[in-house]
Amino acid sequence: MLEWLSQPWHWSVSGILLAGVMVTLLFLEKSFGMSATMRTMCAIGGAGKKIKFFDFDWSTQKWNLIFMLGVVFGGVLASTFLSSSEPVDLSVSTVDNLKNMGVAVPTVYTDSFVPSNLFTFDQLYTVRGFVLIIIGGFMIGFGARYAGGCTSGHAISGLANLQLPSLIAVVGFFIGGIIMTHLLLPVILQL
Amino acid sequence: MKGLKYLVLGTLFGVTMIKSEAASWYRIHEMFRFESFHMFGIIGVAVVLGAILVAIIKKKHLKTLKGTKVPLHPKSMSIPRYLIGGTIFGLGWAMTGACPGPLYALIGQGTWILIVVVISALLGTLVYGALREKLPH
């Protein structure tokens, strides 16, 4: 059983599980949205005293923090019991391009999640590492709140509810992602 | 233990993010290069199946387990808010290769550097909150 679960999961299985999690939350009176946890954490940290946006009753969001702890625990479970023996199976053209840009390509499963030569604490002292890790993280937090949601809230919950605002947000996700991947990332990697 | 169900659902989501490789920087990079169907398959199935289930909930006027209305609120319309905010998020997503859900799952997996990404994201959230009134919405 564990061996079977340890293989990389097919995209359709993952898609079905995501829809299942979203709809189950709906029946529990909750809306699926991961970036909302960040607003809640700011509120718990006391940001509401100075900034109105964080001045709300965060106890209504406790469930989402518990959900978030579950996500972390899911990562623990997956790495402890469900490690695959194969690295991520990328398309040949993606791998070639990454090699040309000097990005480490995964050869084992444990290197399949972040490039081992970019996402390290040492890289924080380089310009490219600082930009990717610190500025990248900042934009995720800023952009998600500005757009009122991230991938879970807009691309999954919002689109499933046929919300035009969510479609506009997802178009934005792709405009930003394409500009970064094709135009800016090759430059940042040279820094 | 009221919170247990959320813990279980979160765990299922976290394991799914890792095992579907949606939490892989490489999969996100490949998606934005349109060189694999993988990520589009995951999101596509989630959206289509989700839309069918949401349509059934609406059509049959299904209630939550507590007997209340299912929280399917229409989002207020705006173009600049979603387009600018979305684009900024997309730029960050293609840099870190992870959106908030996968970030948490990867930290659980022991990729400690991503704690720095989460702290930066919290800072970004804080700055948005501070500048909110001055931004076009």
Side-chain angles (χ1 to χ4, degrees), chain A residues 32-146:
Chain A
F32 185 33
M34 288 310 302
S35 62
T37 57
M38 293 178 168
R39 182 186 181 194
T40 306
M41 284 190 270
C42 288
I44 292 175
K49 290 192 198 103
K50 291 237 164 79
I51 304 167
K52 219 179 88 199
F53 184 61
F54 301 106
D55 185 17
F56 64 98
D57 178 17
W58 56 262
S59 67
T60 58
Q61 283 291 312
K62 255 193 271 176
W63 72 271
N64 211 357
L65 293 182
I66 298 171
F67 185 91
M68 181 190 87
L69 288 180
V71 182
V72 175
F73 184 60
V76 176
L77 281 187
S79 65
T80 311
F81 299 109
L82 302 172
S83 274
S84 156
S85 52
E86 299 293 320
V88 55
D89 185 22
L90 299 167
S91 79
V92 178
S93 48
T94 298
V95 171
D96 285 346
N97 184 261
L98 287 170
K99 283 181 181 163
N100 285 336
M101 293 197 298
V103 176
V105 174
T107 51
V108 290
Y109 176 76
T110 46
D111 283 342
S112 294
F113 294 93
V114 293
S116 57
N117 65 337
L118 295 178
F119 286 84
T120 64
F121 284 96
D122 288 342
Q123 282 289 313
L124 281 175
Y125 300 102
T126 65
V127 176
R128 68 174 191 184
F130 183 87
V131 170
L132 291 179
I133 296 164
I134 308 273
I135 311 279
F138 184 92
M139 291 176 97
I140 286 183
F142 186 94
R145 261 325 17 89
Y146 195 166

Side-chain angles (χ1 to χ4, degrees), chain B residues 9-122:
Chain B
L9 280 172
T11 304
L12 176 65
F13 174 61
V15 171
T16 304
M17 286 294 98
I18 299 285
K19 291 313 297 176
S20 67
E21 298 168 343
S24 167
W25 183 95
Y26 296 100
R27 283 295 189 196
I28 303 307
H29 185 74
E30 189 184 47
M31 170 182 80
F32 285 131
R33 290 179 58 82
F34 299 93
E35 289 177 330
S36 166
F37 181 71
H38 189 84
M39 286 305 304
F40 296 100
I42 294 175
I43 299 172
V45 169
V47 170
V48 171
L49 181 60
I52 294 170
L53 295 171
V54 166
I56 294 173
I57 289 173
K58 285 182 173 171
K59 183 136 198 204
K60 306 252 177 206
H61 302 288
L62 298 182
K63 300 279 181 215
T64 66
L65 296 179
K66 290 179 197 157
T68 53
K69 199 171 172 294
V70 177
L72 288 165
H73 313 294
K75 295 181 196 289
S76 53
M77 188 55 194
S78 156
I79 290 180
R81 170 174 195 190
Y82 299 110
L83 202 58
I84 302 171
T87 302
I88 294 171
F89 177 79
L91 289 166
W93 191 13
M95 280 197 261
T96 63
C99 41
L103 274 178
Y104 299 140
L106 287 169
I107 289 170
Q109 177 152 273
T111 314
W112 307 125
I113 183 69
L114 298 181
I115 292 174
V116 182
V117 174
V118 170
I119 293 169
S120 305
L122 286 172

